[in-house]
Structures are given as C-alpha cells and as structure tokens.
Amino acid sequence: MRGVRKLAWVEVKLFIREPLALVFAFAFPFFMLFILAGVFGNDIDSTDPESVEVWRGVGPSDYYVSTYVGLVMASAGLITLPLRLAGYREAGVLRRYRAAGVSVPVVLGAQVLVCIGMAVVAATGIVVTSTLLYGTVLPANWALVLLAMGAGLLTFASIGVFLGAVLPTARAVQGAGLALFFVMMMISGSGPPRDVLTDSMRLVSDMMPLTHLNLLLQDAWLGFGWAMDQALITLAFAVGAALLAVRFFRWE
Amino acid sequence: MTGQHPAQIPGERAVAVRELAKVYGPLRAVDGVSFDVRRGEIFGIVGVNGSGKTTTVECLQGLRDRDNGEVHVLGLDPATQRDALRHRIGSQLQESALPDRLRVWEALDLFAAISPRSRDWRRLADEWGLWEKRRAAFADLSGGQRQRLFVALALVNDPEIVFLDEMTTGLDPSARHAAWDLVRAVRQRGTTVVLVTHFMDEAEELCDRIAVFKAGRIVALDTPSALVRRFADHSTVRFTHEGDDLPWLDGCPGASAVEREGTRFTVAGDGPLLAYVASALVAHGIAPLDLRVERPTLEQAFLRISEVEATTR
Ligand SMILES: Nc1ncnc2c1ncn2[C@@H]1O[C@H](COP(=O)(O)OP(=O)(O)O)[C@@H](O)[C@H]1O
Ligand SMILES: [Mg+2]
C-alpha cells in the first residue's frame, strides 16, 4: 500500500512537471463544448415536436453538458492512461519497476488513481465552464450523477488499462486509442444527438461504452432517473476490459 | 535497517544452475549452462556480445522464463517463487529506464519504499557520486550518471545477491575504478555479486571466479589466475642494456625467444621467467634498473579460450 501511494504521488509530480503531454486529451471535450454551444445555443422551439424529441425536451446545451463529463472519462481511458502505460513499457520503465518488485496492481493502481484524479478535475472544469458561460443546468440528482460518474471512471479505467496492456507502443495508442476516441466523440452522444444518427451509425453507437455511459449520466443529470440497462452494460464493459487487461498485461 | 546480512555459512551456494536453456525461436540463446555461485563471492560472467549472458542472469532473476533446466537462487526457484525472491535480490539491468522527469532522489526514495528492507538511500547516493545530482531529472543525467543510479537502485533494498549487468558501460575510467571499489565494499557487507561484463580488466580485477560464455555455453570456469595460467601461460621480461648482445639469455629455463631493439631487450617464455632472467643477469654483472615482467592478462586468456573453442568445435 505504501508502494502504491508513493508511486501515485510520484506520478502526480511527474504529471505536474510535464502536463501538456497528458492534458491534450482533455482539450477535446472543451472544444466540443464551445463549438456545439455556439452552433445550437440552449433554446429549442418547444412547439416543434421533432425538435423536442431530438433534444429530450431540454435545451441543447443542457442536453450536452453531462455528455462532456462522459467524454472526459473517455479521454482518460482511451488516450491518457494507455499512452502512459505503453510509453512506460516501450521505454523500459515497467521492466525496471518489475525488477524492483513493484507488482502489477501497484503499477496499474497508481496510474489509474492519477488518471481518475485528472478526469475528476477536467470534469469539474467542464461543468463549471458550461454553467458559467452558457448557464446550463446542474444535476437534478447529484447522488445518481456521482454514482454514474463512478461507473464511468471504473469503466474507462479498465478500458485504459486494457488498451495500455495490449497496445505495444505509444505510437499504437496514438493510432488505435485516438481512433476509438474520435468515433465515440462523434456518435456516442457528445456529438450529433442520438435521434439524428442513421440506423447503421446507431448500431455502431450501441456497441460503444461511452454511448451507454452518456445515457446513464444524462438521465441522472436531467432528472430522468436511473437507466438500469445502461448501468449494467457500462459495468459489463468495465468487468470485461479488466479481465482482458489482467490476462494480456505484459511488462515488456 | 542496515548492517551485515545474517551470518552466512562460507561456501554455501547462493545460486545453483543446472542445464539452464532458453531459446528464442530457432536461436538457442542459452544452451545447457550449469554453475554455482558461492555466498559472498563475486562471480563473473564474461563473453562476447550475444553469448547469452544477459539471458542467463535474467532467468536467474525471474525476469525471463527458462525453457529448460533447474535454477535455485537463495534456495528459491525464480520461475515459481519470484515474489519471495524479488526483495532479496538487487537488479541492475542491461536495459531499462525511468520516467524522464523523475528525479534521482525520488527514484531512490521510491525504490526504498517498495522494498520491505532498505538501506539509507542518501548514503547510497553519496557513495555512488549522485548526491550533487539528487535533484536532477533522469532525462538530464549523463550515461555514466544513469548507470550509477541504476547500480544504486539495485542496492537500495540491501540485497543478499546483486546482479550487475554491464555495470560500468558508459562510465569514464575514474568512475569505473570508483565503481570497482564500491563493488568490493558491497561484497564486504556480505552481499554476493554476480557481475556480467565484457571488460576483461574488470573481471580480472574484481571476480573470485569467472564463467566464460560462448554461444550460450560455458567454455571455461575458474579463478582469473587459473584461467590465465591455463590459457595464457607466457610472460615477457623486458629491460634496457647498453652494450653487447647477451647470447646466454637463450639458456635461461623457460625462455623461448630473445629480441633486441637498440638498447631494449625482450625475453619471451613461460614459467618463472623473471627469476631466471634476473639471476642470469646478476651473474653476469648486469643489474638493469628497469627489469620488469609482463604477465599475460585475462584478456589474452580470453582470446585464447575463444580460439581453442573455435578449433575444437
Ligand atoms: N527477447 C529476445 N528475443 C529474441 N532474441 C533475443 C532476445 N533477447 C536476446 N536475444 C538473442 O539471444 C542471444 C543472447 O542474447 P543476450 O543474452 O542478450 O547476450 P549477451 O548479454 O551475452 O550479449 C543474442 O543473439 C540475442 O540477439
Ligand atoms: Mg547482455
């Protein structure tokens, strides 16, 4: 335990010394916030049933704010975490840690802790920005939103460890991780609303963990309750990715 | 926290290796290697690049899985009892790295914290000449400084055995000599040292016994002086003398060739050549001030071992 804490603290310091390499991932949710708030604003024509349907009865910016929180978690899990792990493996840092007797759970635990911390800070930043600049709503049900966030962090931490385990190099992460991230950013609810996607897009979208996490977050945020199906699917992704990560983790 | 290791029975084996083998695809990188390392000794592993030294010591440390053979390190099998072994051994790997922005003191402090027992890392940093650099980031260290940091990290858990793989690569001559002194001091504390090197002077200087690797096998294993005696038993006696030729030098026991270049004489041969040459000179009333003998080095023995092996294969 002393090892994890120390390693996590070291990782935090390393992060503070060289933040740009890792925070660039968190810029995307902010871009989406600024662009989509500029395009759609936060008003809908409430006499147009189609529009009401697409935006789930709320203003577009209110619709989106929770999905950016999901997107932040995806950034951490699809880019930041695997980039770090693969980079360490490639450089021989993991090898060195292993020889010193650092166990897999300690290495991964420290990385996950730091990434979760960064994601929480970035998510807070997104919500504060959106609230102050665009006057979007705060969570209707804080408890459910926090619960959904916990599920999201768990899921994307597992996915991040899995990607970091199977993608051999930082370059591979920059390819595969970023590709996955952009697909999710566009069709998992943080981009065009689900209702306007084509059928085939929606099919792909349904296979993405972020789609379900975003629905879970959005329902909780807007006061539509707890989306149990989405919660279970999200957790299934978490468990699946964690098992695969343990199975495929390599030190070198 | 620090201090000598519990009383060790001299001669007890720290490492026992029997028929160790490791293949990479078609390549037999280690091909049936057997040796013991006694507690408290400095055991050298030498050989040209690619002869299987690193593979062998990494199998011993549980960092690679062997394909065949038996290995016991401190009585434990590194393949199945890696965790129990981990904190009792120190590892300086031939290839490894630390995060670029990690500072020297943080690395030492971190590795000390990971291990259940540890030495005071400040003293280690001081011993290995890293104290002034303790605030420097890993990426800003020179090759030699990194190397010294890795050795210090290998020692911070106060190991019973330390594996040093090409420890002095990248060190300048004075740092190399300082490192040798430190390795001797490490052994003095009771730590067994397994030293992989391709510097013969280093092996000759430090090691109690040396295994010579070639193409994944051990082709010779003995003390440095025994290896030299067996594989390069010849000496060269040199002195200067102004005057006539000294034809009677040929008659010295063991002398095989006498050469003269101006005033410089060279007598080549084997056995206790210096003693015989000296007594012959004195008997003829000549007492050169610069009479000296050059004994063959391990380097020469090593070259000879390689040749012998090549012709017997
Ligand atoms: N991970 C590996 N995969 C494939 N071949 C390897 C690997 N590690 C070492 N080798 C090969 O095995 C042989 C022995 O390597 P090594 O043990 O590193 O030798 P040394 O340390 O004596 O230079 C070399 O031919 C090397 O190329
Ligand atoms: Mg090597």
Side-chain angles (χ1 to χ4, degrees):
Chain A
M1 206 48 221
R2 185 160 154 243
V4 192
R5 274 209 318 266
K6 200 122 202 171
L7 197 57
W9 176 230
V10 161
E11 287 298 329
V12 169
K13 288 198 280 188
L14 291 174
F15 165 71
I16 290 166
R17 281 172 208 159
E18 208 167 26
L20 271 184
L22 296 175
V23 291
F24 88 92
F26 296 112
F28 296 113
F30 284 89
F31 291 153
M32 293 300 271
L33 167 66
F34 298 137
I35 294 169
L36 296 184
V39 171
F40 296 116
N42 202 17
D43 295 315
I44 50 167
D45 179 358
S46 51
T47 60
D48 174 5
E50 205 175 311
S51 177
V52 170
E53 167 108 26
V54 164
W55 299 109
R56 305 189 76 188
V58 299
S61 292
D62 288 340
Y63 172 98
Y64 278 125
V65 62
S66 58
T67 72
Y68 301 142
V69 171
L71 195 58
V72 161
M73 291 167 190
S75 321
L78 299 174
I79 305 174
T80 312
L81 188 51
L83 207 54
R84 194 77 168 174
L85 284 175
Y88 274 8
R89 178 181 314 103
E90 210 176 357
V93 172
L94 290 185
R95 217 176 124 63
R96 186 51 270 187
Y97 281 172
R98 180 193 192 198
V102 187
S103 62
V104 181
V106 171
V107 171
L108 300 183
Q111 295 293 344
V112 165
L113 276 182
V114 173
C115 263
I116 286 181
M118 284 162 63
V120 168
V121 171
T124 310
I126 270 274
V127 174
V128 168
T129 310
S130 179
T131 310
L132 293 183
L133 285 186
Y134 307 108
T136 53
V137 289
L138 287 172
N141 186 330
W142 277 98
L144 288 187
V145 165
L146 290 178
L147 211 57
M149 280 180 69
L153 288 169
L154 200 68
T155 304
F156 278 102
S158 300
I159 292 174
V161 171
F162 166 64
L163 290 178
V166 294
L167 296 174
T169 61
R171 200 171 281 270
V173 173
Q174 280 160 355
L178 270 178
L180 268 176
F181 173 76
F182 284 123
V183 170
M184 291 194 205
M185 181 163 100
M186 294 319 294
I187 64 172
S188 282
S190 310
R194 183 177 172 76
D195 268 33
V196 305
L197 297 181
T198 66
D199 285 347
S200 50
M201 285 183 203
R202 209 167 300 148
L203 197 69
V204 178
S205 164
D206 282 343
M207 297 190 297
M208 299 290 164
L210 182 58
T211 308
H212 302 282
L213 174 62
N214 274 344
L215 279 171
L216 184 65
L217 279 165
Q218 202 173 42
D219 276 11
W221 202 283
L222 299 176
F224 299 160
W226 183 247
M228 189 49 97
D229 288 357
Q230 266 61 46
L232 291 178
I233 295 173
T234 307
L235 287 177
F237 271 104
V239 172
L243 290 177
L244 289 171
V246 170
R247 169 75 181 70
F248 289 108
F249 186 79
R250 286 172 307 133
W251 290 92
E252 48 188 285
Chain B
M1 208 167 89
T2 61
Q4 297 276 325
H5 288 290
Q8 291 175 344
I9 308 148
E12 196 197 327
R13 286 178 302 183
V15 175
V17 181
R18 293 291 169 271
E19 292 300 319
L20 172 65
K22 171 82 185 171
V23 298
Y24 299 115
L27 176 72
R28 294 168 161 283
V30 177
D31 191 11
V33 154
S34 304
F35 61 90
D36 290 338
V37 178
R38 301 177 191 134
R39 285 215 189 230
E41 85 174 328
I42 302 184
F43 185 85
I45 294 182
V46 303
V48 296
N49 281 341
S51 54
K53 308 181 295 294
T54 295
T55 303
T56 298
V57 292
E58 294 200 353
C59 286
L60 265 50
Q61 296 168 81
L63 296 172
R64 299 193 198 193
D65 293 323
R66 62 182 185 266
D67 293 314
N68 203 1
E70 275 186 44
V71 175
H72 286 98
V73 177
L74 300 173
L76 301 170
D77 183 337
T80 55
Q81 297 168 295
R82 181 178 299 148
D83 293 339
L85 184 59
R86 204 56 271 165
H87 294 297
R88 296 174 62 189
I89 64 177
S91 304
Q92 181 255 312
L93 310 174
Q94 188 177 4
E95 267 166 42
S96 72
L98 289 168
D100 277 348
R101 309 294 351 142
L102 188 65
R103 299 194 175 142
V104 168
W105 77 265
E106 288 168 339
L108 287 161
D109 184 41
L110 175 65
F111 280 50
I114 288 164
S115 168
R117 74 182 254 154
S118 62
R119 287 191 59 192
D120 178 5
W121 62 259
R122 291 168 193 82
R123 262 195 68 190
L124 264 176
D126 189 38
E127 285 173 9
W128 287 87
L130 293 163
W131 185 249
E132 277 72 42
K133 281 278 159 193
R134 65 189 180 281
R135 301 190 161 281
F138 178 73
D140 299 332
L141 298 179
S142 72
Q145 288 162 345
R146 286 182 190 195
Q147 200 69 2
R148 281 182 277 137
L149 174 58
F150 283 130
V151 180
L153 289 175
L155 295 169
V156 79
N157 63 338
D158 199 12
E160 289 167 60
I161 304 186
V162 64
F163 293 88
L164 303 172
D165 193 349
E166 308 281 4
M167 144 190 94
T168 56
T169 300
L171 297 194
D172 58 47
S174 73
R176 276 182 77 205
H177 284 92
W180 293 353
D181 289 339
L182 288 164
V183 169
R184 285 194 199 93
V186 165
R187 185 256 289 278
Q188 215 57 46
R189 295 168 55 87
T191 301
T192 307
V193 180
V194 175
L195 178 82
V196 175
T197 183
H198 61 249
F199 293 116
M200 293 306 141
D201 56 343
E202 181 165 305
E204 189 164 21
E205 184 76 23
L206 288 178
C207 298
D208 299 309
R209 292 187 308 139
I210 294 173
V212 182
F213 274 56
K214 189 169 179 214
R217 291 167 172 275
I218 293 182
V219 293
L221 195 169
D222 217 324
T223 62
S225 58
L227 287 175
V228 170
R229 260 201 316 279
R230 182 139 62 96
F231 290 96
D233 190 18
H234 61 84
S235 325
T236 310
V237 173
R238 298 178 195 278
F239 59 90
T240 53
H241 170 64
E242 296 183 18
D244 302 334
D245 277 354
L246 308 171
W248 36 265
L249 274 180
D250 280 326
C252 286
S256 52
V258 181
E259 279 173 25
R260 174 179 189 171
E261 241 187 275
T263 59
R264 294 206 303 238
F265 284 74
T266 316
V267 184
D270 48 36
L273 192 61
L274 177 64
Y276 289 120
V277 171
S279 79
L281 287 171
V282 171
H284 288 84
I286 303 169
L289 280 175
D290 61 348
L291 180 68
R292 66 199 183 279
V293 65
E294 280 165 18
R295 290 287 301 158
T297 59
L298 187 64
E299 178 102 43
Q300 286 160 331
F302 177 71
L303 292 173
R304 185 83 187 104
I305 292 168
S306 309
E307 282 167 25
V308 170
E309 248 303 293
T311 52
T312 55
R313 273 205 162 205

